[in-house]
Structures are given as C-alpha cells and as structure tokens.
Amino acid sequence: MKVLIVGDSFAADWTAKYSDQKGWPNYLSEQYSVTNLAQAGCSEYKIRKQLDSVNLNEFSHCIVSHTSPNRIPVEHNPLHTNDILHHSCDFIYADICESKNSSVQSIKEYYEKHFYQEYYDYVHSLIINDIDKLIKQSSVNTLHITFFDIQHPLINKNYFNIFQAFPGKINHLSDSGNKRIFEDICQWINQ
C-alpha cells in the first residue's frame, strides 16, 4: 500500500527538526510506503496546493490533515525563515501576537481589528470541498482528519480531544497521543 499524507503541522514530519523523536506519520512510515507532503504551519490553500504536486492515482490511500480556518496564506513568512520545520508557514495570530518583528505588526493589527471570522470559515469550507472534489477524480481511499475544534461534513475523524488530552512536542502530541493516532489510522487503512 502506498499512503499519501498532506496537511499541516499535525501531519508533518517533525524529524527534520527533532531527529530523535517520532510522530504518528513516522510510525505509519514504518508500516507502509508513505509520501508525506505535510508542512508545519500551512493554510488550507497550501494543503490544496500539496495535492497539485502529485499524481493521486499512484497512491492507495490519502490522509488529509485539515488546518485552522484562521491561517492567512503568504508567500514568505518573515518569522520563520531559518526554521527547517516552519520555513514556509502561513500567518496565524498565535505566532504573531508576541512578535516584535515590525514587518508583521500590520498583520497583527489586521487580526485584532479587521479579521472577519465568517469569511475565513466560508473560504476554508470551500477549499475543503475543492480538495475532496480533486481527490474524488482518482481512485484513492481518503481520510479527512483535523486536530482543530472545527466541523465540516467531509471530515471523517476529528482528533481535537486527543490533542487536548495528550499535548506534546512532536506533531503537537505526546508519544501516547501520536501512538493513538497511528493506531486509529492503521485501523482505517486495514479496513
């Protein structure tokens, strides 16, 4: 079986930065042939772009880890240019609220004074629908997951409670949390 993973930091390969620790995608790659395109800090738009870079028909399974609707896509994020894991991440308020970097102060102000949640939720939902439409053009079995407290009819598994119960350093989960996700995804693959 060939498994494709696309998504955000909850699905990214954190061994690029922490080579001595494993997350659920690494456990999965010990059992299956895995191609992991997930990137830490990416928006739903960039998750959609990850899918454009591959031929989905080359995979038997695809796991899409959907991110927060509150990420603003950018070409270059000045906060993480030297971070091997987050070098191409998009803006999110939690990253910029404490930053002293003058180049992101206007974004901070935008979040605080002008951010229109309903709009971002709507666009996020549209992109999830577009991702699903693209994937359905192939024969790949697909699992839509998230670790955020969001609802969407296409999301099969919401791991927000596991994230809350087992926070940690790798994929934002403890080793126990990562193993729970790994086991659950293995069950889905082996159905």
Side-chain angles (χ1 to χ4, degrees):
M1 284 186 241
K2 292 181 74 177
V3 179
L4 173 66
I5 300 173
V6 296
D8 60 0
S9 58
F10 284 95
D13 182 359
W14 286 57
T15 61
K17 192 170 185 176
Y18 305 103
S19 60
D20 59 332
Q21 299 181 42
K22 296 181 198 173
W24 67 265
N26 306 107
Y27 290 122
L28 207 62
S29 68
E30 292 173 351
Q31 300 288 321
Y32 307 99
S33 173
V34 172
T35 299
N36 190 347
L37 301 178
Q39 296 177 334
C42 73
S43 62
E44 201 67 31
Y45 173 74
K46 285 188 182 173
I47 293 170
R48 171 62 175 82
K49 298 294 280 178
Q50 291 169 11
L51 289 164
D52 287 339
S53 71
V54 294
N55 178 353
L56 289 168
N57 290 311
E58 294 178 1
F59 301 93
S60 58
H61 295 79
C62 177
I63 301 161
V64 183
S65 179
H66 296 283
T67 193
S68 166
N70 301 342
R71 285 203 176 271
I72 299 174
V74 293
E75 273 191 271
H76 307 285
N77 185 330
L79 299 179
H80 301 290
T81 55
N82 296 321
D83 186 317
I84 193 165
L85 188 61
H86 291 86
H87 61 88
S88 61
C89 77
D90 294 313
F91 288 132
I92 196 162
Y93 183 73
D95 287 349
I96 64 170
C97 69
E98 302 288 325
S99 176
K100 303 295 184 214
N101 187 322
S102 62
S103 68
V104 297
Q105 292 311 303
S106 61
I107 300 298
K108 180 180 177 186
E109 204 169 293
Y110 173 77
Y111 270 113
E112 293 173 350
K113 297 179 181 177
H114 308 290
F115 190 82
Y116 186 21
Q117 188 66 59
E118 182 180 330
Y119 167 80
Y120 282 94
D121 289 343
Y122 180 71
V123 170
H124 184 258
S125 182
L126 289 175
I127 297 172
I128 291 174
N129 292 339
D130 187 52
I131 286 170
D132 189 62
K133 182 180 174 184
L134 173 70
I135 291 172
K136 283 184 175 169
Q137 294 174 7
S138 70
S139 58
V140 66
N141 295 313
T142 305
L143 180 65
H144 293 273
I145 67 174
T146 191
F147 293 82
F148 291 91
D149 189 18
I150 56 174
Q151 304 297 318
H152 190 284
L154 293 173
I155 294 177
N156 310 98
K157 302 266 185 179
N158 189 316
Y159 295 123
F160 180 71
N161 290 337
I162 292 178
F163 167 51
Q164 293 293 295
F166 300 95
K169 182 177 175 181
I170 306 301
N171 298 101
H172 308 291
L173 300 165
S174 67
D175 192 50
S176 296
N178 274 296
K179 286 181 179 171
R180 284 175 184 253
I181 303 300
F182 161 70
E183 290 165 3
D184 193 54
I185 290 175
C186 282
Q187 281 185 334
W188 169 74
I189 290 173
N190 294 319
Q191 287 179 354

